[in-house]
Amino acid sequence: MDWYEKAAVQGDAKAQFNLGIMYSFGHGVRQDYAKAREWFEKAATQGDADAQRNLGILYDRGQGVRQDDTKAKEWYEKAAAQGDADAQLNLGILYRLGQGVSKDYAKAKMWFEKAAVQENVDAQFLLGTLYNEGKGVRQDYAKAREWFEKAAAQGNADAQRNLAVLYYNGRGVSQDYAKAREWFEKA
C-alpha cells in the first residue's frame, strides 16, 4: 500500500488506479468507496481506461457518490472509446434498459457487438438476446444461436438455457430434442 501511495501521490495513474481498487474492495485497507472514487478520478483524468470504467461503475451504483446515470455514461464512454469491453458492455446495458439515456436497442446492439467481438461473455449473451427478441435488429434466431453458442462455450448458463430452448422449438436450428436436453443439462 505504501509504495502505491508514494507513486500515486507523484501522479502515477496505474498506482492511483490500484489504490482505487484497494479502497473499492477493502484489500489491505478499510473499504471506502469515496476514497476509491478519489483515486479512480485522478487516474481517469489522465486517460486510464480501467479507472474510467470503474468510476463509471461507482456512479452507476451510487457507491461513494450520489448515483448519477449521466456521469456513469460519460465515464463509460471514455473507457469504451479506448476499447474497454466491460465499459462497452455497460453502455449497452444502459441503452437496453433506458437507464440515464433514452432506451435505444440499436445503440445497445452496437455496444454489445463491440464488447462481444472481444470475447466478453455477457455481451455475447445479451447480443444473442437482442436477436432472439428482435429488439434493435430484425429477429434472427440463427444469429441469436451464434451468439448464444459463443457465450455458452464460455460457460454462460443463461446462454446454454436459451440454446436449449432454440433447439427444443426448432428456431434458427433444426428441432432437436437431444441437443435441447444436452444444453438444458449443461445449464
Side-chain angles (χ1 to χ4, degrees):
M1 160 92 177
D2 291 339
W3 291 108
Y4 278 136
E5 202 159 30
K6 287 178 185 192
V9 169
Q10 293 179 38
D12 183 277
K14 280 298 170 197
Q16 292 167 341
F17 168 75
N18 286 327
L19 277 174
I21 290 292
M22 291 173 75
Y23 280 109
S24 188
F25 292 100
H27 294 274
V29 296
R30 186 180 57 77
Q31 187 177 42
D32 186 335
Y33 291 119
K35 284 195 183 225
R37 182 205 49 82
E38 289 175 30
W39 288 113
F40 286 147
E41 199 165 82
K42 289 176 189 286
T45 57
Q46 293 186 66
D48 186 281
D50 293 327
Q52 291 167 342
R53 178 195 62 245
N54 283 14
L55 197 50
I57 290 169
L58 292 181
Y59 278 105
D60 200 358
R61 296 178 182 168
Q63 294 174 319
V65 294
R66 183 179 54 78
Q67 197 280 336
D68 187 332
D69 291 329
T70 302
K71 284 195 177 195
K73 178 183 169 274
E74 289 171 10
W75 286 111
Y76 287 150
E77 284 175 338
K78 290 177 191 237
Q82 295 186 65
D84 186 285
D86 289 330
Q88 292 166 342
L89 167 70
N90 291 342
L91 275 171
I93 291 169
L94 290 181
Y95 281 107
R96 181 174 180 247
L97 299 176
Q99 188 176 322
V101 296
S102 296
K103 190 178 280 195
D104 187 334
Y105 291 112
K107 282 188 179 173
K109 176 204 175 264
M110 177 193 76
W111 288 114
F112 290 154
E113 224 166 38
K114 288 177 184 284
V117 298
Q118 294 182 68
E119 303 302 316
N120 183 294
V121 66
D122 295 322
Q124 291 170 340
F125 167 71
L126 290 168
L127 190 54
T129 300
L130 291 180
Y131 279 106
N132 194 47
E133 297 172 354
K135 293 188 174 171
V137 295
R138 182 181 57 76
Q139 190 170 44
D140 186 335
Y141 295 119
K143 278 260 194 219
R145 179 194 46 81
E146 288 175 30
W147 287 110
F148 288 150
E149 280 180 347
K150 290 176 188 287
Q154 293 189 66
N156 184 292
D158 292 326
Q160 293 167 343
R161 183 195 66 243
N162 286 5
L163 267 176
V165 171
L166 290 177
Y167 278 105
Y168 185 84
N169 293 319
R171 291 189 172 149
V173 294
S174 298
Q175 190 172 42
D176 187 331
Y177 293 126
K179 278 202 183 244
R181 180 174 166 218
E182 178 184 325
W183 284 113
F184 276 129
E185 286 175 353
K186 285 182 182 180

